Amino acid sequence: MKNLPLIDIAVIIAYLVAMVLVGVWFSRKNKSADQFTKASGMIPGWAIGLSIYATFLSSNTFLGVPGKAFGSNWNAFVFSISMPLAAWVAVKYFVPFYRATGEVSAYTNLEKRFGPWARSYAVVCFLLTQLARMGSIFFGIALSLQALTGYSMEMIMLITGICIIIYTVMGGIEAVIWTEVVQGVIKTLGAVLIVYLVVINMPGGISKIVEIGQADHKFSLGTLALDFTSSSFWVILLYGFFINLNNFGMDQNYVQRYHTATSAKEAGKSVWLCVWIYVPASLLFFIIGACLYAYYQVNPDLIEPVKLQAAAERLAASASQIEIADLAATLKPEDYGDKVMPHFMVTQIPVGLVGLIVSAILSAAMSTISSGMNASATVFSEDIYKRYINPKLGSQGQLRLLYIATAVFGLMGMVTGVAMIGISSVLDVWWQLSGIFAGGMLGLFLLGIISKKAGNNDAIIAVIAGVLAILWMTFSYLLPEQYGYLKYPLHANMIIVVGTLVISLVGTGLAAVRRQPTG
């Protein structure tokens, strides 16, 4: 723990003030709900692409990916490899579809296809996903800044959250997009700077990093065996494809941006720009994890404070120093991976540069959280309040509702982040929660596209089957050992894959059976 030097604090404060001022600037243009949610369709495609990239590249990537690479290998990079295929499907089918409907909410069409229940179900899944995502990102940023400043994680979440709420509430989607353009550049440069600082501090430089990485299999993408019970190459590829398909095709964060573009062609270009930037950028964070692993292998004494901190967090507050040291000696790299990069920043990065890198981490968190707040508020306004409470809400009433809902979802994200304090891997938790919540939503949407004959009853039965399957896959590990044969046998990341397939295939099958002649 240490207090940041004054110059670093000044850099961080300047960044936060600049983000708030962006919100103030764009608040002058927010005179209607359409401007707040769509920016009147006047944003260029390149800006939207950078904005989507910045939303993808959250603090879960900035902190969780190096921690994951430090603790294991590059297996999680397969998630990024799956992005081009998901983007191709989205650009070919989803982007033109949403642009043609003109509906700002991604879920309005589900009501037209299957009824009000389908729209409400997808909205609940989306909002739960957003709370999980915002919470994990608030937790990740607090974990990093606690090591740098000594402030409590709760206090860090509160200060960061207030700044995000101010500029997101005042500036709407236009402020979100343009701040994300800046934030995308800042966090990418921050990652490059960290790689440089690790390499110049590493005895033997790049060749030594590669040597240690190869010896300990740090560059492996996972086993190519058709194994769906462990985190194999194929499990992460399938998980990545379905999650990215959900992101590009069903997630309000991204769908809403398609409406801010000047044309469908520009919206499609924005998706591809995001992919071609994100894939190499995410690789950069795996490189950081491998570099840090090699650095601390060469300097094992420097990692001891991290292991002691991780051990202390696992034990009760009354634990003795001997108990903490004994537990620390048993910890493996995957048990404290998320804490390694903040520790490197505390101990090895020169004064002045720390403020820049903290600003990069803040930008990684703020871009995704602000998107989540704006998208959640839009969905609440369109799919819940105007659908069930007050369909005739006036223009100013809609704008006021969006302001309030944006702030409320920001606060709820903070509360979720506080509840996550103490987890070992922020990336693992986010992947599991997103797989659980997103599976049913994507399955229902695909059913509506794949099977033109599937009706309301088919969809209801399919969703019930899918939800039961997801609940079983998620909680069957709690069953007693005598019922071990009833436990879900596959890897947790397969939940979204199986859940999506159950809903889409059951619904399609029911529609096919119903069409068969009875005679």
Side-chain angles (χ1 to χ4, degrees):
M1 301 287 190
K2 73 171 188 178
N3 291 320
L4 286 176
L6 188 60
I7 186 171
D8 291 311
I9 294 175
V11 170
I12 296 168
I13 291 175
Y15 165 75
L16 292 174
V17 170
M19 293 299 100
V20 171
L21 290 177
V22 170
V24 173
W25 173 263
F26 284 109
S27 67
R28 303 175 307 163
K29 302 173 70 174
N30 277 324
K31 304 301 182 184
S32 68
D34 185 69
Q35 177 66 33
F36 189 93
T37 58
K38 295 183 181 180
S40 298
M42 297 299 292
I43 306 295
W46 65 266
I48 299 169
L50 284 173
S51 171
I52 297 174
Y53 158 70
T55 298
F56 257 107
L57 191 64
S58 68
S59 60
N60 287 351
T61 305
F62 210 107
L63 297 168
V65 165
K68 195 72 175 170
F70 179 94
S72 56
N73 52 34
W74 287 8
N75 174 234
F77 179 61
V78 180
F79 176 92
S80 301
I81 296 175
S82 72
M83 282 185 71
L85 180 57
W88 180 84
V89 175
V91 172
K92 186 172 179 61
Y93 298 105
F94 294 159
V95 173
F97 170 78
Y98 286 120
R99 289 286 304 194
T101 65
E103 299 284 355
V104 69
S105 169
Y107 314 115
T108 305
N109 184 68
L110 285 174
E111 178 172 358
K112 297 176 182 176
R113 183 71 177 80
F114 295 122
W117 70 269
R119 179 180 183 180
S120 300
Y121 170 75
V123 166
V124 170
C125 288
F126 170 75
L127 292 177
L128 289 174
T129 304
Q130 289 310 296
L131 286 178
R133 187 175 198 181
M134 287 190 286
S136 65
I137 292 168
F138 268 120
F139 167 72
I141 189 68
L143 182 70
S144 176
L145 296 189
Q146 182 191 42
L148 289 165
T149 65
Y151 291 116
S152 71
M153 294 176 74
E154 293 86 351
M155 179 61 70
I156 293 167
M157 290 186 207
L158 180 64
I159 294 172
T160 308
I162 288 172
C163 290
I164 300 171
I165 288 171
I166 290 173
Y167 80 74
T168 307
V169 168
M170 295 185 70
I173 190 65
E174 195 164 5
V176 169
I177 289 174
W178 286 111
T179 53
E180 285 183 333
V181 169
V182 176
Q183 289 162 344
V185 173
I186 290 174
K187 53 193 172 187
T188 306
L189 293 176
V192 172
L193 180 58
I194 292 173
V195 171
Y196 171 75
L197 291 171
V198 178
V199 170
I200 64 170
N201 280 282
M202 177 73 183
I206 295 175
S207 60
K208 187 64 176 178
I209 292 171
V210 173
E211 176 189 332
I212 293 173
Q214 288 179 332
D216 291 350
H217 309 289
K218 303 306 290 184
F219 306 126
S220 170
L221 295 177
T223 177
L224 291 176
L226 290 176
D227 176 14
F228 298 101
T229 63
S230 65
S231 185
S232 66
F233 177 93
W234 304 110
V235 165
I236 303 303
L237 187 70
L238 284 170
Y239 170 83
F241 173 73
F242 278 84
I243 281 289
N244 285 317
L245 192 61
N246 180 77
N247 287 338
F248 288 131
M250 279 291 292
D251 192 316
Q252 180 70 23
N253 284 291
Y254 307 96
V255 172
Q256 192 168 337
R257 281 165 174 72
Y258 304 155
H259 293 291
T260 66
T262 54
S263 67
K265 185 178 180 181
E266 286 295 298
K269 285 181 179 178
S270 72
V271 174
W272 282 116
L273 179 62
C274 163
V275 171
W276 300 135
I277 298 175
Y278 181 84
V279 174
S282 66
L283 178 60
L284 191 60
F285 289 94
F286 285 95
I287 292 172
I288 290 173
C291 289
L292 288 171
Y293 178 83
Y295 175 81
Y296 284 109
Q297 286 294 107
V298 174
N299 303 283
D301 293 341
L302 297 180
I303 201 67
E304 287 305 312
V306 177
K307 296 169 72 173
L308 290 171
Q309 181 189 357
E313 290 179 0
R314 291 190 174 202
L315 296 171
S318 58
S320 66
Q321 292 300 314
I322 295 176
E323 290 174 321
I324 293 173
D326 288 343
L327 177 59
T330 67
L331 295 180
K332 299 177 181 179
E334 58 263 32
D335 296 324
Y336 51 85
D338 279 355
K339 302 180 185 300
V340 172
M341 193 164 79
H343 177 263
F344 180 82
M345 293 167 61
V346 169
T347 57
Q348 302 300 322
I349 294 179
V351 173
L353 293 181
V354 176
L356 291 173
I357 293 176
V358 170
S359 296
I361 297 175
L362 279 169
S363 70
M366 296 172 79
S367 59
T368 309
I369 293 172
S370 63
S371 293
M373 288 166 53
N374 185 277
S376 297
T378 301
V379 165
F380 176 80
S381 170
E382 294 293 321
D383 298 304
I384 296 178
Y385 194 89
K386 288 172 65 177
R387 174 63 181 82
Y388 296 107
I389 300 173
N390 186 1
K392 297 181 180 180
L393 188 65
S395 176
Q396 289 306 306
Q398 289 182 45
L399 194 57
R400 188 162 51 249
L401 173 65
L402 287 165
Y403 288 154
I404 296 171
T406 301
V408 169
F409 279 108
L411 293 171
M412 290 172 67
M414 278 188 263
V415 172
T416 307
V418 171
M420 289 184 177
I421 292 176
I423 62 174
S424 59
S425 172
V426 66
L427 191 65
D428 281 347
V429 168
W430 161 237
W431 276 20
Q432 289 180 20
L433 289 174
S434 62
I436 292 168
F437 295 139
M441 181 168 57
L442 179 60
L444 180 61
F445 189 79
L446 290 178
L447 174 62
I449 292 178
I450 295 170
S451 178
K452 300 299 182 183
K453 302 294 184 180
N456 184 43
N457 291 336
D458 301 323
I460 290 174
I461 295 171
V463 166
I464 291 173
V467 169
L468 290 175
I470 290 171
L471 290 174
W472 166 66
M473 290 185 287
T474 305
F475 298 110
S476 63
Y477 75 93
L478 298 172
L479 291 171
E481 283 306 315
Q482 60 264 38
Y483 300 108
Y485 61 92
L486 293 175
K487 292 186 179 181
Y488 169 63
L490 304 181
H491 191 271
N493 286 342
M494 289 295 291
I495 291 176
I496 184 175
V497 178
V498 177
T500 299
L501 291 176
V502 166
I503 293 176
S504 55
L505 294 179
V506 167
T508 303
L510 287 171
V513 169
R514 188 166 44 78
R515 289 203 314 272
Q516 289 182 353
T518 57

